[in-house]
Structure formats: C-alpha cells, structure tokens
Amino acid sequence: SSGINAEYGERLLRSLSFLPTIYCCLNFILSEDCERCVPMTTNAVMLETAAPISMEKYASKFHTLVSRSTEWETMAGVAKKFISNNDFDKKPVRMLSIGAGSGEFEVTMVEEFGLKLEYLYAIEPNPRLGQLLDVALKNLDVQYTIDSSFFDKDFEFDESSVCPRFDFILLAHCLYGFEDPLGGVSHAVKFLKAGGKVLIFNHGEEDGAAALFTYLTNRSDPKVFNPSLTINDTRLTAQQIASHIKAERPELTVDILEETGYTDVDEFVRSDEKTRDDDVITLFLQAEYRDLSEGARKEVFDIVMGFCDVVNDRYFMRHTSAAVIISEH
C-alpha cells in the first residue's frame, strides 16, 4: 500500500543520511579535515620516522659488515671457478667492471685466481673510490680506463677511444643502487663479445638483510623513508634479474648459482638493548636501529632471530649469496 511504501522510503532516507559520515570515516587516514571524524588511535600502527643513514655512515658500517660476513669468501669461490671454467686464466680477457669500487676484487681475480686480464674498463662514479681504484690498478700490469660516469640504460662508450665489446662483464653487488637495475643489466649485456660472459653477484630470495629493509620500507612514513631516498634498494633478487633477461633475451643462457652465507650477529642478539652492537643491523635497515620505536625494534629483533643459526655457540644471520651468469653464444 502507499502507507507501507512511504514508511519504507522514510527508513531508506534515514539510512542513506549516514553514508557521508561512514564514507568520511573510512577515508580519515587520507583527510584529517573532517569535523565529524574523531581519530581512532587505539589500534593504529604508528609509522616509523627514522631517516635513511648517510653515505658516510653507510660506508663505515659496511666495513664492519665485511669483517663479519662470509660473502667475500663465497664470491671468491665462485669467481675462481668461473675464471677456470671459461679459460679466462689462459686467454687474454677484455673486461668491463660496473661499480668497480676500490678495485680490490678485480685485483684479487688477477693476482690470486689467475685472470689473464688484458684490458679493464672500470666504471665507478664515487670519486673517493675512484682514487683507490686507480692506485689498485696501477699495481697491475694491464691497460685500464676509469670512468666516473653512472652506468644506466643510456650509457654509451666513446668508441673513438674504446672498443665497446668485452669477454667478461662484472657487476658485484652494485645493482641495488641503480634507478633501473633490470634496464641496466639489459644494457650491459649489449656490450658482450660473441662467447662472452656476464657475472652478477646479488642476493637471492631468502635473505635476512632484504627482509629487514623490506620491513622498514613497509612500516615507515614514505615521506621520510622509502627506497628512492636510501642508498640501496636491497629488495632486488637474483631471480628477478634472471627472469628479466630470460624473457627479454631468450637466445642467451642464464644460470643462477646459490650458496648460504652468514653474518655474525652474536653481539647484537646476546646483548641487552642499551649495549647492543647494532652496526650491521643498521646497515641492513639503512636507518639507525636506535631511532626506531620500541615496537619496531622488537620486530626487527624477531626478524633477525628468524634468520639465525647457531654455529660454534655464536649467532649467525643467514643470507642467500647468488651469482647470475649470462652467456652469449
């Protein structure tokens, strides 16, 4: 009847009148200007506001990491086999090293693993590292060029002075700092000679350092902390690199070698909050551990413990050391 319809219509109008308030409350996190809304902070997760560490602090803590990690030994073992398997210890090699750093690894490959280096084109944009690189390479009896440019998908060689074709291209734990790491790898592959090889060191999917960085990225105020503001984005995995090249260049052979590596975190795990040695954890987070909230520090500790093994009564944090090998036929 008309009476029933009128009553139903009135109820419907009363129900609809609440929608602006419901809509506004649901969107309160986006707009705090509504007078209707009262912030609900009881169960809210507060965003972290720890800023990324500086390049100087990163470099200092990286030296600590090197002394406590097995990564150098893992890289050395892979590189030694790589050189031998490809006869790079028998035939002259033209090499491109992207992100060469201080040149210590390149020197080790020549002096300890027998790399028969004929010419090295080393790209290192950090001027301080570039100076150390020059000193290191002067001690080798090889021709070399140091380029302080950033390598990306638009990088080009001066072909009037350099033949841009190489037997061996090395990228050792440098892709994390690229704006477009996958595009950088695609571009690097273009400079391989027929039969050439690319060796990329990167972590794999099960990695404690990446887990910590990902946690803080997801937990932080993005205006203060996000991967575009940090020195490295360690969420990149060897599997992502390999999948990208396989899809883009199916004619190339792509292999991944993986090995479990460890970082000594015993002094972080066993100490109390006030005396805890957090240098390595700060490096992995890329923000000061002690600048995090109490709740975040507890969750970080739990993540570290989740990746720990006890070896000889010391706590070691696991990481997956990976090498991606790309072969041109």
PDB file of all heavy atoms in Angstrom, residues 52-90:
ATOM      1  N   PRO A  52      66.885   7.760   6.450  1.00  0.00           N
ATOM      2  CA  PRO A  52      67.978   6.929   5.912  1.00  0.00           C
ATOM      3  C   PRO A  52      69.335   7.420   6.402  1.00  0.00           C
ATOM      4  O   PRO A  52      69.543   8.618   6.590  1.00  0.00           O
ATOM      5  CB  PRO A  52      67.847   7.121   4.391  1.00  0.00           C
ATOM      6  CG  PRO A  52      66.429   7.555   4.174  1.00  0.00           C
ATOM      7  CD  PRO A  52      66.069   8.371   5.373  1.00  0.00           C
ATOM      8  N   ILE A  53      70.251   6.490   6.608  1.00  0.00           N
ATOM      9  CA  ILE A  53      71.599   6.861   7.028  1.00  0.00           C
ATOM     10  C   ILE A  53      72.349   7.510   5.859  1.00  0.00           C
ATOM     11  O   ILE A  53      72.032   7.294   4.691  1.00  0.00           O
ATOM     12  CB  ILE A  53      72.394   5.652   7.569  1.00  0.00           C
ATOM     13  CG1 ILE A  53      72.462   4.533   6.522  1.00  0.00           C
ATOM     14  CG2 ILE A  53      71.789   5.155   8.856  1.00  0.00           C
ATOM     15  CD1 ILE A  53      73.301   3.349   6.944  1.00  0.00           C
ATOM     16  N   SER A  54      73.361   8.290   6.201  1.00  0.00           N
ATOM     17  CA  SER A  54      74.155   8.996   5.193  1.00  0.00           C
ATOM     18  C   SER A  54      75.124   8.045   4.497  1.00  0.00           C
ATOM     19  O   SER A  54      75.384   6.937   4.979  1.00  0.00           O
ATOM     20  CB  SER A  54      74.952  10.122   5.849  1.00  0.00           C
ATOM     21  OG  SER A  54      75.931   9.572   6.741  1.00  0.00           O
ATOM     22  N   MET A  55      75.684   8.517   3.386  1.00  0.00           N
ATOM     23  CA  MET A  55      76.675   7.720   2.666  1.00  0.00           C
ATOM     24  C   MET A  55      77.904   7.455   3.543  1.00  0.00           C
ATOM     25  O   MET A  55      78.463   6.348   3.525  1.00  0.00           O
ATOM     26  CB  MET A  55      77.104   8.442   1.391  1.00  0.00           C
ATOM     27  CG  MET A  55      78.202   7.736   0.597  1.00  0.00           C
ATOM     28  SD  MET A  55      77.695   6.117  -0.033  1.00  0.00           S
ATOM     29  CE  MET A  55      76.736   6.633  -1.456  1.00  0.00           C
ATOM     30  N   GLU A  56      78.316   8.438   4.326  1.00  0.00           N
ATOM     31  CA  GLU A  56      79.482   8.267   5.196  1.00  0.00           C
ATOM     32  C   GLU A  56      79.220   7.186   6.252  1.00  0.00           C
ATOM     33  O   GLU A  56      80.072   6.326   6.505  1.00  0.00           O
ATOM     34  CB  GLU A  56      79.826   9.596   5.888  1.00  0.00           C
ATOM     35  CG  GLU A  56      80.367  10.679   4.963  1.00  0.00           C
ATOM     36  CD  GLU A  56      79.285  11.303   4.082  1.00  0.00           C
ATOM     37  OE1 GLU A  56      78.081  11.172   4.435  1.00  0.00           O
ATOM     38  OE2 GLU A  56      79.622  11.915   3.049  1.00  0.00           O
ATOM     39  N   LYS A  57      78.037   7.244   6.848  1.00  0.00           N
ATOM     40  CA  LYS A  57      77.703   6.246   7.867  1.00  0.00           C
ATOM     41  C   LYS A  57      77.550   4.867   7.235  1.00  0.00           C
ATOM     42  O   LYS A  57      77.956   3.854   7.799  1.00  0.00           O
ATOM     43  CB  LYS A  57      76.429   6.656   8.593  1.00  0.00           C
ATOM     44  CG  LYS A  57      76.094   5.787   9.790  1.00  0.00           C
ATOM     45  CD  LYS A  57      75.145   6.498  10.742  1.00  0.00           C
ATOM     46  CE  LYS A  57      75.845   7.613  11.496  1.00  0.00           C
ATOM     47  NZ  LYS A  57      74.972   8.211  12.527  1.00  0.00           N
ATOM     48  N   TYR A  58      76.967   4.832   6.050  1.00  0.00           N
ATOM     49  CA  TYR A  58      76.807   3.563   5.330  1.00  0.00           C
ATOM     50  C   TYR A  58      78.181   2.939   5.072  1.00  0.00           C
ATOM     51  O   TYR A  58      78.372   1.735   5.294  1.00  0.00           O
ATOM     52  CB  TYR A  58      76.072   3.800   4.017  1.00  0.00           C
ATOM     53  CG  TYR A  58      75.755   2.543   3.245  1.00  0.00           C
ATOM     54  CD1 TYR A  58      74.509   1.936   3.361  1.00  0.00           C
ATOM     55  CD2 TYR A  58      76.691   1.955   2.397  1.00  0.00           C
ATOM     56  CE1 TYR A  58      74.198   0.776   2.652  1.00  0.00           C
ATOM     57  CE2 TYR A  58      76.404   0.803   1.694  1.00  0.00           C
ATOM     58  CZ  TYR A  58      75.160   0.217   1.815  1.00  0.00           C
ATOM     59  OH  TYR A  58      74.879  -0.929   1.115  1.00  0.00           O
ATOM     60  N   ALA A  59      79.135   3.747   4.579  1.00  0.00           N
ATOM     61  CA  ALA A  59      80.472   3.242   4.278  1.00  0.00           C
ATOM     62  C   ALA A  59      81.156   2.706   5.532  1.00  0.00           C
ATOM     63  O   ALA A  59      81.802   1.657   5.510  1.00  0.00           O
ATOM     64  CB  ALA A  59      81.309   4.340   3.643  1.00  0.00           C
ATOM     65  N   SER A  60      80.998   3.425   6.644  1.00  0.00           N
ATOM     66  CA  SER A  60      81.615   2.998   7.899  1.00  0.00           C
ATOM     67  C   SER A  60      81.057   1.656   8.369  1.00  0.00           C
ATOM     68  O   SER A  60      81.811   0.746   8.749  1.00  0.00           O
ATOM     69  CB  SER A  60      81.373   4.068   8.967  1.00  0.00           C
ATOM     70  OG  SER A  60      81.785   3.615  10.239  1.00  0.00           O
ATOM     71  N   LYS A  61      79.757   1.514   8.305  1.00  0.00           N
ATOM     72  CA  LYS A  61      79.132   0.279   8.767  1.00  0.00           C
ATOM     73  C   LYS A  61      79.340  -0.866   7.772  1.00  0.00           C
ATOM     74  O   LYS A  61      79.330  -2.032   8.156  1.00  0.00           O
ATOM     75  CB  LYS A  61      77.653   0.527   9.048  1.00  0.00           C
ATOM     76  CG  LYS A  61      77.455   1.510  10.204  1.00  0.00           C
ATOM     77  CD  LYS A  61      76.011   1.715  10.555  1.00  0.00           C
ATOM     78  CE  LYS A  61      75.864   2.793  11.630  1.00  0.00           C
ATOM     79  NZ  LYS A  61      76.610   2.495  12.872  1.00  0.00           N
ATOM     80  N   PHE A  62      79.547  -0.520   6.508  1.00  0.00           N
ATOM     81  CA  PHE A  62      79.836  -1.551   5.514  1.00  0.00           C
ATOM     82  C   PHE A  62      81.164  -2.234   5.820  1.00  0.00           C
ATOM     83  O   PHE A  62      81.303  -3.451   5.653  1.00  0.00           O
ATOM     84  CB  PHE A  62      79.864  -0.946   4.113  1.00  0.00           C
ATOM     85  CG  PHE A  62      80.111  -1.952   3.024  1.00  0.00           C
ATOM     86  CD1 PHE A  62      79.087  -2.773   2.571  1.00  0.00           C
ATOM     87  CD2 PHE A  62      81.374  -2.108   2.463  1.00  0.00           C
ATOM     88  CE1 PHE A  62      79.313  -3.719   1.575  1.00  0.00           C
ATOM     89  CE2 PHE A  62      81.607  -3.044   1.474  1.00  0.00           C
ATOM     90  CZ  PHE A  62      80.568  -3.852   1.028  1.00  0.00           C
ATOM     91  N   HIS A  63      82.146  -1.476   6.274  1.00  0.00           N
ATOM     92  CA  HIS A  63      83.442  -2.068   6.654  1.00  0.00           C
ATOM     93  C   HIS A  63      83.258  -3.060   7.795  1.00  0.00           C
ATOM     94  O   HIS A  63      83.924  -4.099   7.844  1.00  0.00           O
ATOM     95  CB  HIS A  63      84.436  -0.970   7.035  1.00  0.00           C
ATOM     96  CG  HIS A  63      84.992  -0.227   5.863  1.00  0.00           C
ATOM     97  ND1 HIS A  63      85.755  -0.831   4.889  1.00  0.00           N
ATOM     98  CD2 HIS A  63      84.883   1.070   5.484  1.00  0.00           C
ATOM     99  CE1 HIS A  63      86.105   0.053   3.972  1.00  0.00           C
ATOM    100  NE2 HIS A  63      85.579   1.209   4.300  1.00  0.00           N
ATOM    101  N   THR A  64      82.369  -2.738   8.719  1.00  0.00           N
ATOM    102  CA  THR A  64      82.067  -3.677   9.798  1.00  0.00           C
ATOM    103  C   THR A  64      81.459  -4.955   9.241  1.00  0.00           C
ATOM    104  O   THR A  64      81.813  -6.072   9.641  1.00  0.00           O
ATOM    105  CB  THR A  64      81.102  -3.036  10.814  1.00  0.00           C
ATOM    106  OG1 THR A  64      81.679  -1.835  11.330  1.00  0.00           O
ATOM    107  CG2 THR A  64      80.808  -4.002  11.964  1.00  0.00           C
ATOM    108  N   LEU A  65      80.523  -4.795   8.293  1.00  0.00           N
ATOM    109  CA  LEU A  65      79.882  -5.961   7.682  1.00  0.00           C
ATOM    110  C   LEU A  65      80.903  -6.876   7.018  1.00  0.00           C
ATOM    111  O   LEU A  65      80.847  -8.100   7.176  1.00  0.00           O
ATOM    112  CB  LEU A  65      78.852  -5.499   6.645  1.00  0.00           C
ATOM    113  CG  LEU A  65      78.226  -6.609   5.793  1.00  0.00           C
ATOM    114  CD1 LEU A  65      77.376  -7.532   6.660  1.00  0.00           C
ATOM    115  CD2 LEU A  65      77.406  -6.021   4.658  1.00  0.00           C
ATOM    116  N   VAL A  66      81.829  -6.307   6.277  1.00  0.00           N
ATOM    117  CA  VAL A  66      82.829  -7.106   5.565  1.00  0.00           C
ATOM    118  C   VAL A  66      83.603  -7.999   6.533  1.00  0.00           C
ATOM    119  O   VAL A  66      83.902  -9.161   6.230  1.00  0.00           O
ATOM    120  CB  VAL A  66      83.795  -6.186   4.771  1.00  0.00           C
ATOM    121  CG1 VAL A  66      84.970  -6.983   4.222  1.00  0.00           C
ATOM    122  CG2 VAL A  66      83.039  -5.503   3.625  1.00  0.00           C
ATOM    123  N   SER A  67      83.913  -7.460   7.700  1.00  0.00           N
ATOM    124  CA  SER A  67      84.696  -8.229   8.681  1.00  0.00           C
ATOM    125  C   SER A  67      83.876  -9.328   9.355  1.00  0.00           C
ATOM    126  O   SER A  67      84.442 -10.234   9.959  1.00  0.00           O
ATOM    127  CB  SER A  67      85.265  -7.287   9.750  1.00  0.00           C
ATOM    128  OG  SER A  67      84.230  -6.743  10.553  1.00  0.00           O
ATOM    129  N   ARG A  68      82.549  -9.271   9.236  1.00  0.00           N
ATOM    130  CA  ARG A  68      81.699 -10.238   9.936  1.00  0.00           C
ATOM    131  C   ARG A  68      80.932 -11.165   8.993  1.00  0.00           C
ATOM    132  O   ARG A  68      80.175 -12.015   9.461  1.00  0.00           O
ATOM    133  CB  ARG A  68      80.697  -9.488  10.824  1.00  0.00           C
ATOM    134  CG  ARG A  68      81.367  -8.656  11.911  1.00  0.00           C
ATOM    135  CD  ARG A  68      80.347  -7.929  12.765  1.00  0.00           C
ATOM    136  NE  ARG A  68      81.003  -7.043  13.725  1.00  0.00           N
ATOM    137  CZ  ARG A  68      80.356  -6.252  14.565  1.00  0.00           C
ATOM    138  NH1 ARG A  68      79.027  -6.251  14.574  1.00  0.00           N
ATOM    139  NH2 ARG A  68      81.013  -5.463  15.394  1.00  0.00           N
ATOM    140  N   SER A  69      81.089 -10.985   7.706  1.00  0.00           N
ATOM    141  CA  SER A  69      80.304 -11.754   6.739  1.00  0.00           C
ATOM    142  C   SER A  69      81.178 -12.725   5.965  1.00  0.00           C
ATOM    143  O   SER A  69      82.383 -12.493   5.773  1.00  0.00           O
ATOM    144  CB  SER A  69      79.611 -10.789   5.761  1.00  0.00           C
ATOM    145  OG  SER A  69      78.976 -11.494   4.721  1.00  0.00           O
ATOM    146  N   THR A  70      80.560 -13.798   5.490  1.00  0.00           N
ATOM    147  CA  THR A  70      81.270 -14.787   4.659  1.00  0.00           C
ATOM    148  C   THR A  70      81.138 -14.474   3.166  1.00  0.00           C
ATOM    149  O   THR A  70      81.570 -15.271   2.339  1.00  0.00           O
ATOM    150  CB  THR A  70      80.703 -16.197   4.908  1.00  0.00           C
ATOM    151  OG1 THR A  70      79.315 -16.225   4.513  1.00  0.00           O
ATOM    152  CG2 THR A  70      80.823 -16.599   6.361  1.00  0.00           C
ATOM    153  N   GLU A  71      80.542 -13.326   2.823  1.00  0.00           N
ATOM    154  CA  GLU A  71      80.231 -13.038   1.416  1.00  0.00           C
ATOM    155  C   GLU A  71      81.486 -12.979   0.546  1.00  0.00           C
ATOM    156  O   GLU A  71      81.477 -13.445  -0.594  1.00  0.00           O
ATOM    157  CB  GLU A  71      79.450 -11.727   1.304  1.00  0.00           C
ATOM    158  CG  GLU A  71      78.988 -11.386  -0.105  1.00  0.00           C
ATOM    159  CD  GLU A  71      78.044 -12.432  -0.697  1.00  0.00           C
ATOM    160  OE1 GLU A  71      77.450 -13.207   0.070  1.00  0.00           O
ATOM    161  OE2 GLU A  71      77.907 -12.459  -1.934  1.00  0.00           O
ATOM    162  N   TRP A  72      82.562 -12.390   1.066  1.00  0.00           N
ATOM    163  CA  TRP A  72      83.789 -12.294   0.267  1.00  0.00           C
ATOM    164  C   TRP A  72      84.289 -13.681  -0.110  1.00  0.00           C
ATOM    165  O   TRP A  72      84.655 -13.925  -1.270  1.00  0.00           O
ATOM    166  CB  TRP A  72      84.868 -11.527   1.028  1.00  0.00           C
ATOM    167  CG  TRP A  72      86.167 -11.443   0.280  1.00  0.00           C
ATOM    168  CD1 TRP A  72      87.197 -12.343   0.291  1.00  0.00           C
ATOM    169  CD2 TRP A  72      86.564 -10.410  -0.634  1.00  0.00           C
ATOM    170  NE1 TRP A  72      88.212 -11.938  -0.536  1.00  0.00           N
ATOM    171  CE2 TRP A  72      87.853 -10.754  -1.120  1.00  0.00           C
ATOM    172  CE3 TRP A  72      85.976  -9.232  -1.070  1.00  0.00           C
ATOM    173  CZ2 TRP A  72      88.548  -9.954  -2.020  1.00  0.00           C
ATOM    174  CZ3 TRP A  72      86.669  -8.430  -1.970  1.00  0.00           C
ATOM    175  CH2 TRP A  72      87.944  -8.797  -2.432  1.00  0.00           C
ATOM    176  N   GLU A  73      84.306 -14.594   0.852  1.00  0.00           N
ATOM    177  CA  GLU A  73      84.772 -15.956   0.570  1.00  0.00           C
ATOM    178  C   GLU A  73      83.885 -16.638  -0.464  1.00  0.00           C
ATOM    179  O   GLU A  73      84.359 -17.352  -1.347  1.00  0.00           O
ATOM    180  CB  GLU A  73      84.812 -16.780   1.858  1.00  0.00           C
ATOM    181  CG  GLU A  73      85.906 -16.390   2.841  1.00  0.00           C
ATOM    182  CD  GLU A  73      85.559 -15.168   3.667  1.00  0.00           C
ATOM    183  OE1 GLU A  73      84.415 -14.668   3.541  1.00  0.00           O
ATOM    184  OE2 GLU A  73      86.419 -14.697   4.440  1.00  0.00           O
ATOM    185  N   THR A  74      82.580 -16.414  -0.364  1.00  0.00           N
ATOM    186  CA  THR A  74      81.648 -17.009  -1.330  1.00  0.00           C
ATOM    187  C   THR A  74      81.894 -16.453  -2.728  1.00  0.00           C
ATOM    188  O   THR A  74      81.961 -17.208  -3.708  1.00  0.00           O
ATOM    189  CB  THR A  74      80.193 -16.727  -0.906  1.00  0.00           C
ATOM    190  OG1 THR A  74      79.976 -17.275   0.400  1.00  0.00           O
ATOM    191  CG2 THR A  74      79.216 -17.347  -1.889  1.00  0.00           C
ATOM    192  N   MET A  75      82.014 -15.142  -2.838  1.00  0.00           N
ATOM    193  CA  MET A  75      82.283 -14.513  -4.130  1.00  0.00           C
ATOM    194  C   MET A  75      83.601 -15.010  -4.712  1.00  0.00           C
ATOM    195  O   MET A  75      83.700 -15.296  -5.914  1.00  0.00           O
ATOM    196  CB  MET A  75      82.326 -12.996  -3.975  1.00  0.00           C
ATOM    197  CG  MET A  75      80.983 -12.352  -3.683  1.00  0.00           C
ATOM    198  SD  MET A  75      81.142 -10.597  -3.258  1.00  0.00           S
ATOM    199  CE  MET A  75      81.912  -9.924  -4.731  1.00  0.00           C
ATOM    200  N   ALA A  76      84.601 -15.124  -3.861  1.00  0.00           N
ATOM    201  CA  ALA A  76      85.918 -15.577  -4.322  1.00  0.00           C
ATOM    202  C   ALA A  76      85.845 -16.993  -4.882  1.00  0.00           C
ATOM    203  O   ALA A  76      86.420 -17.295  -5.931  1.00  0.00           O
ATOM    204  CB  ALA A  76      86.921 -15.503  -3.170  1.00  0.00           C
ATOM    205  N   GLY A  77      85.124 -17.868  -4.178  1.00  0.00           N
ATOM    206  CA  GLY A  77      84.993 -19.254  -4.648  1.00  0.00           C
ATOM    207  C   GLY A  77      84.300 -19.336  -5.996  1.00  0.00           C
ATOM    208  O   GLY A  77      84.722 -20.089  -6.892  1.00  0.00           O
ATOM    209  N   VAL A  78      83.228 -18.554  -6.176  1.00  0.00           N
ATOM    210  CA  VAL A  78      82.503 -18.545  -7.454  1.00  0.00           C
ATOM    211  C   VAL A  78      83.379 -17.976  -8.560  1.00  0.00           C
ATOM    212  O   VAL A  78      83.447 -18.528  -9.670  1.00  0.00           O
ATOM    213  CB  VAL A  78      81.203 -17.723  -7.320  1.00  0.00           C
ATOM    214  CG1 VAL A  78      80.554 -17.507  -8.694  1.00  0.00           C
ATOM    215  CG2 VAL A  78      80.224 -18.416  -6.391  1.00  0.00           C
ATOM    216  N   ALA A  79      84.058 -16.871  -8.282  1.00  0.00           N
ATOM    217  CA  ALA A  79      84.884 -16.222  -9.294  1.00  0.00           C
ATOM    218  C   ALA A  79      86.039 -17.117  -9.747  1.00  0.00           C
ATOM    219  O   ALA A  79      86.372 -17.165 -10.936  1.00  0.00           O
ATOM    220  CB  ALA A  79      85.427 -14.899  -8.751  1.00  0.00           C
ATOM    221  N   LYS A  80      86.648 -17.831  -8.808  1.00  0.00           N
ATOM    222  CA  LYS A  80      87.761 -18.712  -9.151  1.00  0.00           C
ATOM    223  C   LYS A  80      87.307 -19.808 -10.119  1.00  0.00           C
ATOM    224  O   LYS A  80      87.979 -20.085 -11.127  1.00  0.00           O
ATOM    225  CB  LYS A  80      88.335 -19.328  -7.873  1.00  0.00           C
ATOM    226  CG  LYS A  80      89.605 -20.131  -8.098  1.00  0.00           C
ATOM    227  CD  LYS A  80      90.189 -20.582  -6.758  1.00  0.00           C
ATOM    228  CE  LYS A  80      91.492 -21.337  -6.975  1.00  0.00           C
ATOM    229  NZ  LYS A  80      92.085 -21.754  -5.665  1.00  0.00           N
ATOM    230  N   LYS A  81      86.158 -20.427  -9.838  1.00  0.00           N
ATOM    231  CA  LYS A  81      85.633 -21.459 -10.738  1.00  0.00           C
ATOM    232  C   LYS A  81      85.207 -20.859 -12.074  1.00  0.00           C
ATOM    233  O   LYS A  81      85.407 -21.458 -13.138  1.00  0.00           O
ATOM    234  CB  LYS A  81      84.438 -22.163 -10.082  1.00  0.00           C
ATOM    235  CG  LYS A  81      84.808 -23.005  -8.878  1.00  0.00           C
ATOM    236  CD  LYS A  81      83.563 -23.636  -8.256  1.00  0.00           C
ATOM    237  CE  LYS A  81      83.916 -24.429  -7.010  1.00  0.00           C
ATOM    238  NZ  LYS A  81      82.691 -24.987  -6.359  1.00  0.00           N
ATOM    239  N   PHE A  82      84.621 -19.686 -12.020  1.00  0.00           N
ATOM    240  CA  PHE A  82      84.158 -19.003 -13.230  1.00  0.00           C
ATOM    241  C   PHE A  82      85.327 -18.726 -14.176  1.00  0.00           C
ATOM    242  O   PHE A  82      85.238 -18.962 -15.385  1.00  0.00           O
ATOM    243  CB  PHE A  82      83.473 -17.695 -12.826  1.00  0.00           C
ATOM    244  CG  PHE A  82      83.049 -16.812 -13.967  1.00  0.00           C
ATOM    245  CD1 PHE A  82      81.833 -17.016 -14.605  1.00  0.00           C
ATOM    246  CD2 PHE A  82      83.853 -15.761 -14.381  1.00  0.00           C
ATOM    247  CE1 PHE A  82      81.433 -16.187 -15.646  1.00  0.00           C
ATOM    248  CE2 PHE A  82      83.467 -14.932 -15.420  1.00  0.00           C
ATOM    249  CZ  PHE A  82      82.253 -15.150 -16.051  1.00  0.00           C
ATOM    250  N   ILE A  83      86.426 -18.247 -13.628  1.00  0.00           N
ATOM    251  CA  ILE A  83      87.612 -17.952 -14.436  1.00  0.00           C
ATOM    252  C   ILE A  83      88.174 -19.225 -15.060  1.00  0.00           C
ATOM    253  O   ILE A  83      88.488 -19.276 -16.257  1.00  0.00           O
ATOM    254  CB  ILE A  83      88.672 -17.242 -13.565  1.00  0.00           C
ATOM    255  CG1 ILE A  83      88.198 -15.829 -13.221  1.00  0.00           C
ATOM    256  CG2 ILE A  83      90.025 -17.194 -14.278  1.00  0.00           C
ATOM    257  CD1 ILE A  83      89.016 -15.156 -12.145  1.00  0.00           C
ATOM    258  N   SER A  84      88.269 -20.270 -14.254  1.00  0.00           N
ATOM    259  CA  SER A  84      88.813 -21.533 -14.756  1.00  0.00           C
ATOM    260  C   SER A  84      87.896 -22.180 -15.791  1.00  0.00           C
ATOM    261  O   SER A  84      88.355 -22.629 -16.845  1.00  0.00           O
ATOM    262  CB  SER A  84      89.026 -22.483 -13.573  1.00  0.00           C
ATOM    263  OG  SER A  84      89.456 -23.747 -14.015  1.00  0.00           O
ATOM    264  N   ASN A  85      86.600 -22.202 -15.514  1.00  0.00           N
ATOM    265  CA  ASN A  85      85.647 -22.860 -16.420  1.00  0.00           C
ATOM    266  C   ASN A  85      85.561 -22.195 -17.786  1.00  0.00           C
ATOM    267  O   ASN A  85      85.214 -22.839 -18.785  1.00  0.00           O
ATOM    268  CB  ASN A  85      84.253 -22.893 -15.787  1.00  0.00           C
ATOM    269  CG  ASN A  85      84.169 -23.820 -14.592  1.00  0.00           C
ATOM    270  OD1 ASN A  85      85.039 -24.666 -14.389  1.00  0.00           O
ATOM    271  ND2 ASN A  85      83.132 -23.663 -13.790  1.00  0.00           N
ATOM    272  N   ASN A  86      85.863 -20.913 -17.852  1.00  0.00           N
ATOM    273  CA  ASN A  86      85.770 -20.177 -19.111  1.00  0.00           C
ATOM    274  C   ASN A  86      87.135 -19.890 -19.742  1.00  0.00           C
ATOM    275  O   ASN A  86      87.231 -19.101 -20.693  1.00  0.00           O
ATOM    276  CB  ASN A  86      85.012 -18.864 -18.880  1.00  0.00           C
ATOM    277  CG  ASN A  86      83.557 -19.091 -18.549  1.00  0.00           C
ATOM    278  OD1 ASN A  86      82.763 -19.471 -19.401  1.00  0.00           O
ATOM    279  ND2 ASN A  86      83.197 -18.863 -17.288  1.00  0.00           N
ATOM    280  N   ASP A  87      88.186 -20.539 -19.201  1.00  0.00           N
ATOM    281  CA  ASP A  87      89.554 -20.374 -19.713  1.00  0.00           C
ATOM    282  C   ASP A  87      90.020 -18.922 -19.671  1.00  0.00           C
ATOM    283  O   ASP A  87      90.864 -18.507 -20.473  1.00  0.00           O
ATOM    284  CB  ASP A  87      89.671 -20.914 -21.146  1.00  0.00           C
ATOM    285  CG  ASP A  87      89.538 -22.423 -21.210  1.00  0.00           C
ATOM    286  OD1 ASP A  87      89.875 -23.091 -20.217  1.00  0.00           O
ATOM    287  OD2 ASP A  87      89.096 -22.946 -22.258  1.00  0.00           O
ATOM    288  N   PHE A  88      89.474 -18.160 -18.749  1.00  0.00           N
ATOM    289  CA  PHE A  88      89.909 -16.772 -18.618  1.00  0.00           C
ATOM    290  C   PHE A  88      91.277 -16.672 -17.945  1.00  0.00           C
ATOM    291  O   PHE A  88      91.830 -15.579 -17.805  1.00  0.00           O
ATOM    292  CB  PHE A  88      88.879 -15.968 -17.825  1.00  0.00           C
ATOM    293  CG  PHE A  88      87.621 -15.646 -18.599  1.00  0.00           C
ATOM    294  CD1 PHE A  88      86.483 -15.214 -17.939  1.00  0.00           C
ATOM    295  CD2 PHE A  88      87.573 -15.779 -19.976  1.00  0.00           C
ATOM    296  CE1 PHE A  88      85.320 -14.920 -18.644  1.00  0.00           C
ATOM    297  CE2 PHE A  88      86.420 -15.490 -20.702  1.00  0.00           C
ATOM    298  CZ  PHE A  88      85.286 -15.052 -20.027  1.00  0.00           C
ATOM    299  N   ASP A  89      91.808 -17.801 -17.511  1.00  0.00           N
ATOM    300  CA  ASP A  89      93.169 -17.836 -16.989  1.00  0.00           C
ATOM    301  C   ASP A  89      94.168 -18.271 -18.060  1.00  0.00           C
ATOM    302  O   ASP A  89      95.368 -18.367 -17.802  1.00  0.00           O
ATOM    303  CB  ASP A  89      93.260 -18.781 -15.789  1.00  0.00           C
ATOM    304  CG  ASP A  89      92.711 -20.173 -16.101  1.00  0.00           C
ATOM    305  OD1 ASP A  89      92.073 -20.345 -17.166  1.00  0.00           O
ATOM    306  OD2 ASP A  89      92.929 -21.089 -15.287  1.00  0.00           O
ATOM    307  N   LYS A  90      93.671 -18.486 -19.268  1.00  0.00           N
ATOM    308  CA  LYS A  90      94.541 -18.939 -20.362  1.00  0.00           C
ATOM    309  C   LYS A  90      94.577 -17.966 -21.542  1.00  0.00           C
ATOM    310  O   LYS A  90      95.611 -17.795 -22.178  1.00  0.00           O
ATOM    311  CB  LYS A  90      94.080 -20.319 -20.856  1.00  0.00           C
ATOM    312  CG  LYS A  90      94.170 -21.426 -19.801  1.00  0.00           C
ATOM    313  CD  LYS A  90      93.710 -22.757 -20.372  1.00  0.00           C
ATOM    314  CE  LYS A  90      93.891 -23.894 -19.373  1.00  0.00           C
ATOM    315  NZ  LYS A  90      93.042 -23.728 -18.170  1.00  0.00           N
TER     316      LYS A  90
END
